[in-house]
Amino acid sequence: GPQTRRRLLRRFGSVESIREASREDLTDVDGVGDATAETLRTKL
């Protein structure tokens, strides 16, 4: 959702950085679990 999107952008700074992040880095963000991390990695 919008809050998770904001948290991801705050943590990584850009969509490109989110794309390059590891699954572990993504799941460190509050509100991002394994399923969300996998979706981000495959859809971005």
Side-chain angles (χ1 to χ4, degrees):
Q3 290 179 345
T4 302
R5 185 177 320 140
R6 271 185 290 233
R7 284 188 208 115
L8 285 162
L9 286 171
R10 262 188 250 137
R11 167 78 187 270
F12 296 103
S14 70
V15 173
E16 184 63 33
S17 292
I18 295 169
R19 238 182 241 132
E20 295 172 359
S22 70
R23 182 183 209 149
E24 292 79 21
D25 287 339
L26 292 170
T27 57
D28 281 346
V29 175
D30 188 36
V32 178
D34 286 329
T36 302
E38 188 59 31
T39 299
L40 286 166
R41 291 185 50 74
T42 59
K43 302 287 183 185
L44 292 180

